[in-house]
Amino acid sequence: FTAASVLAAAPVATTDGEISGVSLQIQEFKVSNGTVMMKFTIANDAAAAFPTHTLRDRDVAKNDPNAVSGIYLVDVANKKKYFVVVDSDGHCICSRDAPDIPSKGSVNLWAKFQAPPDSVKKIGVVVPHFVPMDDVPLSR
């Protein structure tokens, strides 16, 4: 490993799940072409599998039962919520058909959101069944 590769691997933000032993790390949180790309990893050190269908929002992605569509961004200063982007067929622009995460396993997932105004440098991230993350820095 070089020092640069180790530094590059450091997560942007981390949080704990409601279930002890489950954690989430945001690996990339970047604004590009009017959207925010969030790449993240959920690690499961709990005894039981973590069901990824619990990350779904039934209203956002009606057609995607195992999508991570329940995630949203909170811009407190501008009093706005940013939901996962959905295409014209009602599919989220996010990880779909995500497998349940076995005990001692992890999975890499992603989701896209509408980008907040350029003045927003940090934003809150809410993932169902995880402690909300405040002031997560956006890279541009």
Side-chain angles (χ1 to χ4, degrees):
F1 289 111
T2 65
S5 66
V6 172
L7 289 173
V12 176
T14 63
T15 191
D16 292 322
E18 293 170 349
I19 298 167
S20 182
V22 178
S23 63
L24 183 149
Q25 301 84 34
I26 297 177
Q27 308 299 346
E28 182 180 302
F29 200 51
K30 185 175 175 115
V31 177
S32 176
N33 299 321
T35 62
V36 174
M37 167 60 95
M38 179 175 137
K39 294 180 184 176
F40 61 102
T41 302
I42 296 177
N44 181 9
D45 286 327
F50 179 83
T52 55
H53 75 268
T54 61
L55 303 176
R56 173 180 173 233
D57 183 315
R58 286 171 182 78
D59 295 329
V60 173
K62 298 173 182 67
N63 304 328
D64 302 317
N66 275 21
V68 298
S69 55
I71 301 169
Y72 59 90
L73 309 181
V74 180
D75 177 356
V76 176
N78 296 306
K79 298 180 175 60
K80 281 195 78 171
K81 278 170 89 170
Y82 296 93
F83 296 98
V84 173
V85 176
V86 177
D87 69 16
S88 59
D89 294 326
H91 294 288
C92 75
I93 309 302
C94 67
S95 293
R96 303 193 304 225
D97 298 322
D100 287 350
I101 307 165
S103 176
K104 308 302 178 208
S106 67
V107 68
N108 295 319
L109 303 165
W110 62 274
K112 280 204 169 198
F113 306 88
Q114 176 187 336
D118 287 344
S119 61
V120 175
K121 305 299 181 205
K122 294 181 176 183
I123 198 163
V125 179
V126 178
V127 179
H129 307 292
F130 287 85
V131 177
M133 294 167 276
D134 298 326
D135 298 324
V136 179
L138 286 161
S139 60
R140 295 184 185 265

